[in-house]
Amino acid sequence: MSTTSARLLSLLSLLQARRDWPGAVLAQRLGVSPRTVRRDVDRLRELGYPISAAKGPDGGYRLGAGSALPPLLFDDEQAVALTVALQTAATTVTGIEEAAARALTTVRQVMPARLRHRVDALRVVAVDRAGAPAKPRVEPALLMTLSAAVHAREVLRFDYPPAPTADPTDGAPLPRRVQPHHLVTWGGRWYLVAWDLDRDDWRTFRVDRLRPRTPTGPRFTPRELPGGDVAAFVAGRFRGGGGDWPCRGEVILDLPARTVSTWTRDGLVEELGPDRCRLVLGAWSWPGLAAVLGRYDADIEVVGPPELRAAFAHLARRYAAAARRPDDG
């Protein structure tokens, strides 16, 4: 390494990347001798980083948790990544805008001038989709409470007011009792994925409507989520409870794959040529799927199934009728 400070930064990054590092491996990664590694570890300890060492031929180093926050060191890529994450945090987590701004200011103050100038030049503007509903606010303290219960595997009790469309004559809802498994975001909102003890089934709860009760309940043994993948499970729930759309079809579009991919969220796009691609897409109904495919404004070849081809014929008749003037007969 060219300078001691750059080597210390690289050493700290390596120690943060995994739990244990053999001394010989660290020396090889840094291109220095094991003796130099030992001296650099001592320098980091003087700065306040709690690094423990194991003796013996297989001895190594481990970065532990300290009682105080030592100086923060970031390389260029880490500084840029942190800046982007903090600037865009409010677009995915409503309710932490002020905390994210304060964190970015704090981190910026401890950066060297060279890095500070780089991150100051990085300005990310988050633009919400026109017509999109306002995202509900979620307090960071609530997220911490829920994540702590998920981590500790403790039963949660909480009030969960019914949606505005619910029947007001149903009476006051009873507190829910769940085994919390995952805290996730979807479409700018926070959700808790949990096993509902009273309904004996998996449920997904909106965090902004959730009001925890204290104390938490007993510990529980984690259950296997259907499918084993939380992202696929949540996506399936928002498609109506199943793991897939009820109607799925395949077409060939006279458009470049990169263009179709830009406007496709849940579909599978395969390039067939410079201006031709295969698209597999799902929807609630066959006419709905045909209408969605029509938005690509390109010639369409239906691969299948027959229900999709029939849906295109149905929409063609409907659109043709709508296009006729009243005096056309």
Side-chain angles (χ1 to χ4, degrees):
M1 304 293 288
S2 57
T3 64
T4 300
S5 58
R7 193 175 64 245
L8 287 176
L9 179 59
S10 296
L11 174 58
L12 183 58
S13 296
L14 291 173
L15 290 172
Q16 291 171 334
R18 77 184 200 192
R19 184 175 178 84
D20 294 293
W21 279 96
V25 176
L26 282 176
Q28 182 180 9
R29 292 288 295 269
L30 297 171
V32 296
S33 66
R35 181 180 179 183
T36 300
V37 172
R38 289 194 295 271
R39 290 202 303 264
D40 288 346
V41 167
D42 289 337
R43 292 189 180 98
L44 289 177
R45 286 169 175 163
E46 292 173 357
L47 291 173
Y49 292 95
I51 303 174
S52 60
K55 297 182 179 180
D58 297 326
Y61 301 95
R62 173 186 298 180
L63 179 63
S67 58
L69 183 66
L72 298 176
L73 299 178
F74 298 100
D75 58 29
D76 290 19
E77 291 182 352
Q78 290 174 323
V80 172
L82 183 60
T83 301
V84 172
L86 290 173
Q87 288 192 29
T88 59
T91 65
T92 55
V93 184
T94 304
I96 66 168
E97 298 89 345
E98 180 183 351
R102 288 190 286 108
L104 183 58
T105 300
T106 301
V107 171
R108 180 186 176 279
Q109 290 175 344
V110 299
M111 288 181 178
R114 176 181 58 82
L115 279 183
R116 191 180 306 123
H117 292 321
R118 286 197 64 187
V119 300
D120 285 347
L122 181 60
R123 286 290 180 264
V124 180
V125 178
V127 180
D128 287 333
R129 179 167 50 89
K135 299 173 184 177
R137 182 180 180 86
V138 176
E139 295 296 334
L142 176 57
L143 296 178
M144 293 297 295
T145 298
L146 298 181
S147 61
V150 171
H151 179 74
R153 302 300 186 191
E154 293 177 342
V155 171
L156 267 177
R157 295 183 308 120
F158 56 83
D159 296 316
Y160 196 67
T165 56
D167 187 350
T169 64
D170 287 344
L174 296 175
R176 308 296 285 266
R177 299 184 310 118
V178 304
Q179 296 175 344
H181 281 70
H182 300 280
L183 192 60
V184 301
T185 60
W186 174 274
R189 289 188 174 94
W190 282 95
Y191 294 90
L192 178 70
V193 178
W195 177 265
D196 194 313
L197 292 171
D198 296 317
R199 290 157 179 81
D200 198 31
D201 194 10
W202 289 99
R203 289 291 189 271
T204 304
F205 301 93
R206 271 182 49 172
V207 170
D208 59 286
R209 291 171 48 196
L210 189 153
R211 301 293 180 266
R213 291 193 175 195
T214 56
T216 56
R219 293 180 179 271
F220 63 88
T221 301
R223 299 172 182 264
E224 182 69 23
L225 194 67
D229 180 73
V230 64
F233 174 80
V234 173
R237 285 293 166 122
F238 284 98
R239 292 171 183 165
D244 203 352
W245 293 107
C247 301
R248 181 173 291 273
E250 180 179 344
V251 299
I252 294 177
L253 300 176
D254 287 344
L255 282 175
R258 63 180 180 276
T259 302
V260 175
S261 298
T262 302
W263 304 104
T264 302
R265 180 177 180 182
D266 295 322
L268 176 64
V269 183
E270 177 187 357
E271 183 177 7
L272 300 179
D275 297 306
R276 191 172 169 84
C277 69
R278 184 189 310 274
L279 172 62
V280 179
L281 197 63
W284 285 104
S285 66
W286 294 113
L289 178 57
V292 169
L293 291 169
R295 70 177 180 170
Y296 291 99
D297 192 21
D299 289 341
I300 303 173
E301 176 186 339
V302 178
V303 178
E307 292 85 352
L308 178 58
R309 187 172 290 104
F312 273 110
H314 173 72
L315 289 184
R317 292 190 297 269
R318 176 178 293 175
Y319 290 157
R324 287 196 298 266
R325 294 180 300 180
D327 56 355
D328 287 342

